[in-house]
Amino acid sequence: MRASGKPDQQTDLPPYFNLDPDAALAQLGAPSDSAAFARIARACDAGRQDLAGRGMEEGAGRELRLFSTWEITRYLIPVAQGHFRRVLKQNPELPQGRSETEGGAKWFTLDEVLRLRAHFAAEGSKTKDYLPWRPKGLPAKMVAVANFKGGVGKTSTAAHLAMSAALDGYKVLVVDLDSQGSMTSIFGGKVEDEWQTVFPLIARHYGQHLRAENQRRLDRGEAPQPLDDTLSEALEIRAPDIVQKTHWPNIDLIGAQLNLYWAEFQIPVWRMAGRGWKLWDALTECFEADGLLDQYDVIFLDTPPALGYLTINGLAAADILLVPLGASFLEFDSTGRFFDMLHSTFSSIEEAENVAARALGREGLNFQWDAVRAVITRYDRTQQAELAALLQAYLGPVLSPHRQDFTALIGQAGEQVRGIYEADYRDFNRETYARGRETFDATYAALKQLLLGSWRRDELAARAAAE
């Protein structure tokens, strides 16, 4: 029974109750048209310029931080700190580092660390791996990171793996195939238009196909198809022309920007005009022809969150495919659909190509990857352990047993569009820093295991073929 006759009033209703349509109309504003997008874009551009002028642009004038003796001997060069200091004292021609205070710790650039690592490899114990292993005479390994589910840490994973490989001593190339350009931003890249992306390489590959096809037409007495200005210009471009340096001494970048998305419209036009063009070979053959597979050790391909033509090029070029996913039902379901679409796409390409190959008595097309692995990212062991175990049971060895934990350090690095390896551990206590980078160190260790195993398999196969 109520204590009084007054009606029961609720003052803590959710905000979506009792909204007034007239008040909503007053706040709605005029309808938008396509010109509104241009106004918003101009506002964003003005904002970017303002932020850049205030020194707040991500990647503007970025320099890689220094590395302390403690960090070098713990993570980069496997020697005791005392021995490290003795070697520097005995070899004054080596980088000696710099101290920020009198008698303080010594700090080194990564380029200096790489020089020191080379010295230890030449003069130090032969039982230690001062330099990462890569068999002589074999090409770089290409690693594609892909999933069409957004928010799974695809770009972050690819960027941190690239940084890990660089800290390990490998020469790394990062290729951004996503027109959103997030990977390009992480490495401070500047890309003015599509001609500084992979677009001209794909156009060149088609132009070379068309030129060869025109020669066959001439041999048959038929009129050739004209090469337009785009194809003629692309035929003059080589991969090194679009590679740019980053603030990491051993990471280079082929960047991306919004105009790269036009490739998704242009490629099918070329494909319709040139049915015999093997578009999925474009990146592989251009990288090989232009020497990138010899110049670099590992090439990371960050793909768009969709299975378009750029993603197909990246996946077809890859030796190793990594698929990040979260430990949730929706992401597991989406990832399953992604693999189903991969099967449909690549098996249909194989089927179409092999019909013609069988008719001509040629060897058929068979896509093959050294390894395919799914990786759980942004993992919360207190909430997701049971589901992660179920995913492991269903996917078996395809799912990496390592879970990429989400920590405060990772979250902060993500907010700053920087990698955790670029974070100065003095901004945290050492335990927080060590725990934060531990999960990406383990992710890289799992990838390096795949790299070394696939290189060894190639090496043994080459040796067997030579006997």
Side-chain angles (χ1 to χ4, degrees):
M1 175 178 287
R2 292 192 179 97
S4 70
K6 293 181 180 180
D8 186 17
Q9 294 184 352
Q10 291 179 282
T11 58
D12 56 348
L13 287 174
Y16 48 80
F17 277 103
N18 299 326
L19 293 177
D20 179 49
D22 291 322
L25 174 60
Q27 295 182 28
L28 182 63
S32 294
D33 56 16
S34 58
F37 298 144
R39 291 192 294 272
I40 297 169
R42 286 195 297 270
C44 290
D45 185 58
R48 281 193 297 268
Q49 293 182 35
D50 180 44
L51 292 175
R54 297 168 186 258
M56 299 173 66
E57 179 184 11
E58 293 293 349
R62 184 180 297 178
E63 293 183 3
L64 186 60
R65 67 178 178 85
L66 302 179
F67 297 82
S68 71
T69 299
W70 168 79
E71 196 174 5
I72 292 169
T73 54
R74 172 162 181 175
Y75 294 111
L76 305 179
I77 302 177
V79 295
Q81 287 191 49
H83 179 61
F84 181 80
R85 294 190 183 98
R86 284 193 297 273
V87 169
L88 295 190
K89 187 174 182 180
Q90 294 166 3
N91 297 273
E93 74 281 2
L94 292 175
Q96 298 295 308
R98 66 221 59 154
S99 297
E100 297 180 346
T101 59
E102 185 70 27
K106 293 290 186 70
W107 294 78
F108 300 78
T109 67
L110 181 57
D111 194 51
E112 291 172 333
V113 173
L114 296 175
R115 290 170 56 193
L116 291 170
R117 176 183 272 135
H119 173 82
F120 278 97
E123 305 295 335
S125 171
K126 302 307 178 185
T127 63
K128 292 187 177 181
D129 295 328
Y130 293 110
L131 295 176
W133 183 75
R134 172 186 173 180
K136 293 181 180 179
L138 292 181
K141 286 295 181 182
M142 290 198 270
V143 180
V145 183
N147 197 333
F148 62 26
K149 176 72 170 65
V152 297
K154 177 179 60 64
T155 299
S156 174
T157 298
H160 281 98
L161 286 173
M163 294 176 190
S164 297
L167 290 173
D168 196 23
Y170 284 121
K171 179 70 173 172
V172 175
L173 175 65
V174 174
V175 182
D176 194 348
L177 298 176
D178 187 350
S179 59
Q180 296 179 80
S182 297
M183 180 70 84
T184 302
S185 295
I186 288 173
F187 286 102
K190 299 294 183 183
V191 182
E192 296 298 327
D193 55 35
E194 68 272 22
W195 288 96
Q196 295 176 328
T197 72
V198 297
F199 174 77
L201 299 184
I202 298 173
R204 182 184 110 198
H205 193 265
Y206 174 68
Q208 291 170 334
H209 163 79
L210 185 56
R211 193 161 57 182
E213 183 62 30
N214 280 341
Q215 185 58 56
R216 287 188 286 270
R217 285 172 174 267
L218 290 172
D219 293 342
R220 297 194 300 265
E222 300 174 3
Q225 295 185 28
L227 273 71
D228 59 24
D229 292 343
T230 295
L231 297 178
S232 297
E233 184 175 350
L235 285 169
E236 303 302 318
I237 294 178
R238 295 295 177 268
D241 300 332
I242 60 174
V243 171
Q244 55 183 292
K245 298 294 182 182
T246 73
H247 56 294
W248 286 71
N250 54 343
I251 299 180
D252 291 343
L253 170 73
I254 296 179
Q257 59 102 256
L258 186 61
N259 288 2
L260 176 59
Y261 192 72
W262 287 108
E264 299 291 353
F265 298 94
Q266 185 60 66
I267 290 174
V269 174
W270 291 335
R271 178 68 172 156
M272 290 292 291
R275 293 287 188 174
W277 176 44
K278 295 176 172 52
L279 69 94
W280 47 86
D281 288 336
L283 286 183
T284 306
E285 294 185 353
C286 286
F287 286 177
E288 182 177 14
D290 296 346
L292 296 190
L293 299 187
D294 296 322
Q295 183 178 350
Y296 297 95
D297 298 307
V298 189
I299 299 175
F300 289 93
L301 306 163
D302 185 41
T303 64
L307 193 54
Y309 291 102
L310 291 169
T311 300
I312 289 173
N313 262 280
L315 297 181
D319 300 292
I320 296 171
L321 170 59
L322 298 181
V323 181
L325 74 154
S328 74
F329 171 81
L330 289 178
E331 294 192 24
F332 183 43
D333 180 56
S334 175
T335 300
R337 297 176 193 277
F338 177 66
F339 278 112
D340 188 46
M341 189 172 289
L342 290 183
H343 169 257
S344 298
T345 300
F346 286 101
S347 62
S348 64
I349 294 173
E350 289 173 340
E351 183 178 352
E353 288 294 304
N354 292 340
V355 168
R358 285 192 294 269
L360 297 172
R362 295 196 304 236
E363 184 178 349
L365 174 65
N366 179 33
F367 289 105
Q368 194 169 67
W369 292 265
D370 289 331
V372 174
R373 295 290 186 274
V375 182
I376 292 179
T377 59
R378 304 178 71 85
Y379 177 61
D380 181 351
R381 64 182 66 249
T382 62
Q383 302 287 331
Q384 299 174 325
E386 182 178 359
L387 184 53
L390 285 172
L391 301 188
Q392 192 77 63
Y394 280 108
L395 290 176
V398 170
L399 181 63
S400 172
H402 166 65
R403 285 54 165 129
Q404 191 171 285
D405 296 314
F406 185 82
T407 69
L409 179 61
I410 294 171
Q412 181 172 328
E415 291 170 2
Q416 297 175 351
V417 200
R418 293 173 181 263
I420 63 169
Y421 296 115
E422 296 180 325
D424 191 325
Y425 69 81
R426 291 172 295 179
D427 295 335
F428 315 88
N429 62 54
R430 285 191 182 183
E431 182 181 348
T432 300
Y433 175 78
R435 188 170 60 251
R437 65 169 288 165
E438 185 179 76
T439 186
F440 277 105
D441 286 346
T443 303
Y444 172 64
L447 171 65
K448 188 176 180 181
Q449 188 85 0
L450 299 178
L451 290 171
L452 299 189
S454 58
W455 262 324
R456 176 67 83 189
R457 184 163 58 194
D458 293 346
E459 183 183 46
L460 294 176
R463 190 181 303 166
E467 292 175 352

